[in-house]
Amino acid sequence: MHKYKGSSKLMLQPENTEELSQILKYCNSRCLAVVPQGGNTGLVGGSVPVFDEVIINTRRMNSIISFDKVSGVLVCEAGCILENLISFLDKQGFIMPLDLGAKGSCQIGGNVSTNAGGLRLVRYGSLHGTVLGLEVVLANGDVMDMLGTLRKDNTGYDLKHLFIGSEGSLGIITKVSILTPPKLSSVNIAFLACQDYISCQKLLFEAKRRLGEILSAFEFLDSRAMNLVLNHLDGVRNPLPSSIYNFYVLIETTGSNESSDKEKLEAFLVHAMESGLVSDGALAQDLNQASSFWHIREGIPEALMKAGAVYKYDLSLPVEKMYDLVEEMRIRLGAEANVVGYGHLGDGNLHLNVSTPQYDDAVRFVFLLHKSKNGPTVLLLIIIRTPQQILAQIEPFVYEWTSRHHGSISAEHGLGLMKAEKIYYSKSAGTVQLMASIKKLLDPSGILNPYKVIPQSLLS
Ligand code: FAD
Ligand code: S2G
Ligand code: ZN
């Protein structure tokens, strides 16, 4: 995954909405392009300047404005770091409806702006459901107060949804009102091994029926992801060491009755073992073990980065088809790359990652002198496919495949800079044209995060 870097000469860190509004008013009047930035953990280059855009970082806008312990509605500034909100709510007996591996750095404004999915979406849904209101500053500096705290409000168009997932291209989110679920007492985690992908898929089907309302996460990873984590992360142990299985599934349940929840999960696991869906499994006996299971799943991105260069694809696909793409990609790339599949199986979200030792633009030729037994010495010219050619083996194949299977080329990470021109693999021309019209209406000078999300050609 290339890390982008622009040539910005200026980063501004406003302290409040008023300051941010003044900055945008000034930049808009002088057609100065800006890049809104939160925790900078985005994976599609959305928070990084392309040229010399002014960076507007929200990190200093990090106060909690209010929390209603009856309704669970939290109102805070966009620069609040997700992990800090998680800790604040924990003391109040509540949780954030989203959790992701980047929680230590990502900000709630960035989460809303990318419509982040994460590890709990299967239970608490998307931010389009849990975000009740937003305060947004438009390109011209106007402050839009849509900071409602009501679950139901059908008075006119619900415009906040335009900004959820807009990746800083329609306005800068300065405050968020979000519905937070109560923290429940009984959380159980099972780490299971499956021989094949169809078993993972059937396990999901069974989990939704037999665990029902207490299911709070359903993640999967293949053996290559497991091997990467075991080889590149310190202190990680395979909870099922008897052998390397082809697939692993992490199931979390969250409920209010420890004994019946545990009973329900154990009955589900017995059924899964007896029906052959699961070959081995472990139920976390304490918090330590539970976090060690999560550490394996959440550690995959870090392990991938340590393994070398990585090409990341965050895809929504029909669950029954999802792993076919990983297998087809392995056939296409052969031994040139390590193709890894993992993700939020509960949401139909595959993280397909292609790992190679390094990026290398130069084409590699290797000359070999070959002395055959009775014949002449011949000079062999061997061309080694380089990562750029590896990229050509991946794209546009992965996008065409996803489009053919009616999937999305970006399930949760957004389009940013990296995938803006790929939008047509998942959206019709008419839809993209309407997006461009809305963008031009809200940001007529095109100063907000140019080159991101939609093709720039539609905006000039
Ligand atoms: P940034 O990266 O700073 O910005 C992201 C985008 O939002 C940019 O386009 C930026 O311009 C815009 N933006 C930022 N703040 C604002 C604002 N206040 N107003 C308007 N626009 C704004 N993502 C998932 O969805 N699910 C995961 O499970 C997940 N796991 C991750 C694990 C790791 C280890 C890492 C490194 C990343 C992961 N991500 C995941 C991706 C990333 O963390 C999310 O996209 C996150 O929501 C980005 O938040 P941020 O504050 O870092 O935003
Ligand atoms: C996850 C993180 C980023 C990646 O682990 O769920 O969203 O694709 C991803 O490695
Ligand atoms: Zn993810």
Side-chain angles (χ1 to χ4, degrees):
M1 174 182 75
H2 282 286
K3 258 297 179 198
Y4 289 86
K5 55 183 187 306
S7 51
S8 280
K9 296 180 184 52
L10 180 65
M11 175 200 273
L12 298 173
Q13 297 183 358
E15 273 208 359
N16 53 48
T17 301
E18 185 43 37
E19 279 188 10
L20 196 144
S21 165
Q22 292 308 318
I23 292 169
L24 277 184
K25 202 173 283 174
Y26 179 85
C27 291
N28 195 48
S29 65
R30 286 162 178 73
C31 285
L32 297 176
V34 303
V35 174
Q37 193 180 76
N40 210 10
T41 67
L43 294 161
V44 288
S47 59
V48 178
V50 182
F51 298 109
D52 60 351
E53 301 92 304
V54 175
I55 298 172
I56 300 178
N57 189 293
T58 51
R59 60 191 295 274
R60 291 170 67 196
M61 299 169 66
N62 59 8
S63 57
I64 288 173
I65 296 163
S66 66
F67 179 65
D68 177 338
K69 283 194 86 160
V70 174
S71 63
V73 177
L74 169 75
V75 182
C76 64
E77 286 191 301
C80 290
I81 291 175
L82 180 59
E83 194 160 53
N84 295 347
L85 295 176
I86 291 171
S87 331
F88 166 79
L89 287 171
D90 189 57
K91 296 184 192 74
Q92 313 288 331
F94 286 78
I95 63 170
M96 281 299 278
L98 76 158
D99 185 7
L100 39 139
K103 55 179 157 273
S105 314
C106 64
Q107 298 173 10
I108 190 66
N111 297 150
V112 174
S113 190
T114 54
N115 185 24
L119 305 162
R120 303 268 188 278
L121 187 136
V122 71
R123 171 67 168 274
Y124 301 109
S126 107
L127 290 174
H128 280 288
T130 49
V131 170
L132 302 177
L134 294 175
E135 179 189 74
V136 177
V137 181
L138 300 182
N140 63 3
D142 286 357
V143 179
M144 288 292 115
D145 178 358
M146 302 174 282
L147 204 56
T149 57
L150 304 170
R151 290 229 52 195
K152 300 171 90 166
D153 173 6
N154 255 346
T155 51
Y157 305 133
D158 196 344
L159 294 180
K160 67 174 180 287
H161 291 291
L162 271 179
F163 299 95
I164 300 174
S166 63
E167 300 182 64
S169 62
L170 298 181
I172 300 186
I173 295 163
T174 44
K175 292 190 182 81
V176 177
S177 151
I178 188 165
L179 182 64
T180 71
K183 182 181 167 194
L184 300 179
S185 57
S186 117
V187 179
N188 289 290
I189 311 242
F191 197 84
L192 310 173
C194 298
Q195 275 312 1
D196 50 37
Y197 177 71
I198 187 80
S199 300
C200 302
Q201 187 196 314
K202 287 179 179 170
L203 203 59
L204 173 62
F205 182 87
E206 293 295 322
K208 286 187 171 178
R209 279 151 189 76
R210 294 172 180 264
L211 299 173
E213 77 293 346
I214 63 170
L215 180 66
S216 54
F218 195 103
E219 299 288 314
F220 93 107
L221 57 138
D222 62 18
S223 55
R224 299 209 187 176
M226 174 61 101
N227 280 325
L228 275 172
V229 168
L230 296 174
N231 295 336
H232 291 282
L233 297 194
D234 301 333
V236 178
R237 213 177 46 72
N238 182 347
L240 308 173
S242 54
S243 90
I244 280 282
Y245 294 96
N246 293 324
F247 292 91
Y248 296 89
V249 167
L250 185 151
I251 293 180
E252 179 191 74
T253 64
T254 303
S256 52
N257 184 319
E258 187 61 38
S259 57
S260 79
D261 292 349
K262 202 139 197 167
E263 211 176 289
K264 204 172 194 179
L265 183 53
E266 281 162 354
F268 166 74
L269 297 177
V270 167
H271 165 76
M273 294 290 265
E274 285 171 354
S275 54
L277 292 183
V278 165
S279 314
D280 196 354
L283 196 50
Q285 297 308 303
D286 54 38
L287 267 181
N288 264 345
Q289 204 176 16
S291 52
S292 72
F293 291 173
W294 271 118
H295 186 41
I296 293 170
R297 166 58 186 86
E298 293 187 280
I300 302 171
E302 185 189 346
L304 279 160
M305 299 297 270
K306 288 186 171 171
V310 61
Y311 299 80
K312 301 178 98 51
Y313 300 90
D314 157 42
L315 310 167
S316 277
L317 284 166
V319 170
E320 64 280 14
K321 289 279 169 208
M322 186 182 280
Y323 208 74
D324 295 351
L325 177 56
V326 178
E327 286 162 345
E328 284 200 37
M329 194 55 82
R330 282 190 183 139
I331 294 166
R332 284 178 73 85
L333 293 172
E336 302 281 329
N338 185 15
V339 181
V340 176
Y342 66 98
H344 318 284
L345 190 58
D347 320 335
N349 182 185
L350 170 69
H351 291 313
L352 170 68
N353 282 242
V354 177
S355 168
T356 57
Q358 82 269 328
Y359 290 111
D360 169 2
D361 296 350
V363 179
R364 289 243 196 90
F365 298 99
V366 175
F367 293 93
L368 281 180
L369 284 176
H370 174 69
K371 173 93 184 73
S372 50
K373 222 158 81 210
N374 309 321
T377 300
V378 288
L379 182 66
L380 290 179
L381 166 62
I382 300 174
I383 297 177
I384 297 180
R385 242 179 351 195
T386 65
Q388 288 315 320
Q389 285 160 311
I390 287 177
L391 185 61
Q393 291 293 316
I394 304 170
E395 295 180 22
F397 173 79
V398 67
Y399 296 128
E400 290 165 347
W401 200 98
T402 300
S403 188
R404 221 174 28 250
H405 291 85
H406 310 295
S408 167
I409 61 156
S410 182
E412 56 177 11
H413 296 163
L415 295 167
L417 173 67
M418 286 169 73
K419 303 189 172 158
E421 300 296 329
K422 315 281 194 248
I423 191 168
Y424 293 108
Y425 285 105
S426 293
K427 286 291 179 303
S428 70
T431 308
V432 178
Q433 191 55 57
L434 181 55
M435 291 182 200
S437 311
I438 292 168
K439 162 74 177 177
K440 283 187 267 193
L441 174 75
L442 290 172
D443 178 18
S445 306
I447 67 160
L448 290 175
N449 232 356
Y451 310 99
K452 314 281 176 63
V453 189
I454 41 182
Q456 195 65 16
S457 54
L458 292 178
L459 303 173
S460 20

